[in-house]
Amino acid sequence: MRGRAKGNVSMVSEFVLVGLSGSPDLQMLLFCIFLLIYSLTMIGNILIIIITVDPSLQTPMYFFLRVLSFLDICTASAIVPKMLVNFLSENRSISYTGCAAQMYFLLFLGASECFLLAAMAYDRYVAICNPLRYTLIMNKRVCLSLTVLSWFSGNVVSVVQTVWVFTLPFCGPNKINYFFCDIPPLIMVSCIDTSAFEFQAMTATVLVIFVPFSLILLSYICIISTILKMTSAEGRRKTFSTCSSHLIVVTLYYGSGSLIYLRSKSSYSQDTKKVLALVYTTMTPMLNPMIYSLRNKEVKGALSRMLYVTMKT
């Protein structure tokens, strides 16, 4: 659909999201699969938020885990409900403003999570490499400041990138071969040469991914160095196990995100890009609660106590 006019060029007023598959036979199956994924994501992350309120889990690590669960709930909610509607509807359009809003929130949440994972790595570094000063360094003020900083950084990145994208002219076609409004598929439907913008977007993406990832890498170099100096094999195993969940989440999130945003447009087929995008937008938010709870005795203990109290009452 065409709407607003800019000069002599007719501008689109909405976009059409092609989605994961154009086959009508698959829509109901995909609806059921992603309804289940979304339900598990919401239940798992809400449970993590509730469980970590337990008095025995009032430490910086669980504070950051609560924030991570909140970001995961928001990320899934920014994408999956619209996907579910599109699976059951022939009209898969999204308004120009709606597309801009979806992109803003997804970039904000995604960049914030990148920086939050770096804050969580720093927390593990202090806990393992400087345990005697851990409570002094990682106090409530520092934890809150790191969280606010991650959100502020995510907001700056999101505002700049969203404004950049939506200053481009979109004069048709308005079909986006993707399941949500994201930078790469959107600039492909712009009606001008976007090479300069692509360079700017790549530069911003490199900063957003590599700055926090470098901090994570540096933290784990120090952590591994400290662990290797331990004389007890059991001590090394227990210490490293406190980091394993975080490492798995970092690998899933940064791995899939980097493969999409740091490769050239022709590196993968569009279907491959959709699968990679699904990993960090829908699968990772669903898996994070499982990764942190199944590998954590304290979380499992708090869950058992909560279930016991619930059944008793």
Side-chain angles (χ1 to χ4, degrees):
M1 180 177 178
R2 296 174 184 271
R4 300 172 302 108
K6 187 174 182 179
N8 294 323
V9 181
S10 179
M11 307 296 288
V12 302
S13 59
E14 63 180 24
F15 297 97
V16 177
L17 298 171
V18 173
L20 297 177
S21 172
S23 171
D25 299 333
L26 290 176
Q27 301 310 303
M28 183 54 70
L29 175 62
L30 289 171
F31 174 84
C32 295
I33 291 172
F34 283 95
L35 179 61
L36 177 61
I37 289 173
Y38 185 59
S39 301
L40 291 174
T41 299
M42 297 300 288
I43 293 169
N45 284 289
I46 290 172
L47 272 176
I48 287 290
I49 292 172
I50 295 172
I51 290 168
T52 53
V53 176
D54 188 282
S56 66
L57 301 181
Q58 297 308 300
T59 64
M61 182 174 77
Y62 295 110
F63 169 79
F64 289 128
L65 183 55
R66 280 196 295 274
V67 177
L68 179 65
S69 289
F70 174 74
L71 291 177
D72 284 341
I73 288 171
C74 294
T75 299
S77 298
I79 293 180
V80 182
K82 179 62 177 173
M83 288 175 64
L84 295 175
V85 171
N86 287 349
F87 287 141
L88 301 181
S89 172
E90 292 184 4
N91 180 11
R92 298 183 178 183
S93 63
I94 182 170
S95 68
Y96 185 90
T97 304
C99 190
Q102 187 184 55
M103 176 180 286
Y104 165 77
F105 282 111
L106 287 173
L107 290 175
F108 165 63
L109 294 164
S112 297
E113 188 157 333
C114 281
F115 290 106
L116 182 69
L117 289 171
M120 294 173 79
Y122 176 70
D123 169 69
R124 291 298 82 209
Y125 158 74
V126 177
I128 293 170
C129 301
N130 206 345
L132 297 179
R133 299 186 61 204
Y134 178 62
T135 53
L136 180 64
I137 296 173
M138 297 302 295
N139 55 56
K140 288 184 179 180
R141 182 178 177 181
V142 170
C143 293
L144 186 59
S145 297
L146 289 173
T147 301
V148 171
L149 181 61
S150 71
W151 287 7
F152 175 78
S153 303
N155 182 62
V156 170
V157 170
S158 181
V159 168
V160 171
Q161 294 282 66
T162 304
V163 169
W164 273 352
V165 171
F166 284 89
T167 52
L168 297 173
F170 299 99
C171 42
N174 65 340
K175 281 191 175 183
I176 303 174
N177 188 14
Y178 222 53
F179 57 97
F180 65 94
C181 291
D182 198 12
I183 295 175
L186 262 172
I187 61 178
M188 289 175 66
V189 298
S190 175
C191 50
I192 63 168
D193 179 19
T194 58
S195 350
F197 172 77
E198 287 176 42
F199 177 76
Q200 293 173 329
M202 176 62 75
T203 303
T205 302
V206 167
L207 290 174
V208 170
I209 290 179
F210 276 109
V211 169
F213 184 74
S214 297
L215 296 174
I216 293 172
L217 189 61
L218 182 61
S219 296
Y220 275 102
I221 288 173
C222 296
I223 288 170
I224 292 171
S225 175
T226 300
I227 290 175
L228 291 176
K229 292 176 184 176
M230 295 178 178
T231 54
S232 166
E234 182 65 17
R236 288 196 295 270
R237 188 191 65 78
K238 285 184 177 179
T239 303
F240 188 75
S241 68
T242 64
C243 307
S244 58
S245 297
H246 180 258
L247 275 173
I248 294 170
V249 171
V250 167
T251 303
L252 283 172
Y253 195 77
Y254 277 90
S256 56
S258 299
L259 288 173
I260 292 175
Y261 296 110
L262 298 181
R263 298 294 294 267
S264 64
K265 290 188 291 185
S266 59
S267 295
Y268 304 110
S269 69
Q270 196 62 19
D271 288 339
T272 302
K273 291 177 183 177
K274 290 179 186 179
V275 172
L276 290 171
L278 281 173
V279 173
Y280 80 90
T281 58
T282 58
M283 299 306 295
T284 301
M286 180 189 71
L287 293 173
N288 282 353
M290 301 178 193
I291 292 169
Y292 275 99
S293 59
L294 293 177
R295 301 180 63 86
N296 191 304
K297 291 181 180 179
E298 292 176 328
V299 171
K300 287 191 283 188
L303 176 60
S304 299
R305 288 192 294 273
M306 185 185 76
L307 292 174
Y308 175 76
V309 171
T310 303
M311 293 172 65
K312 193 174 180 180
T313 54

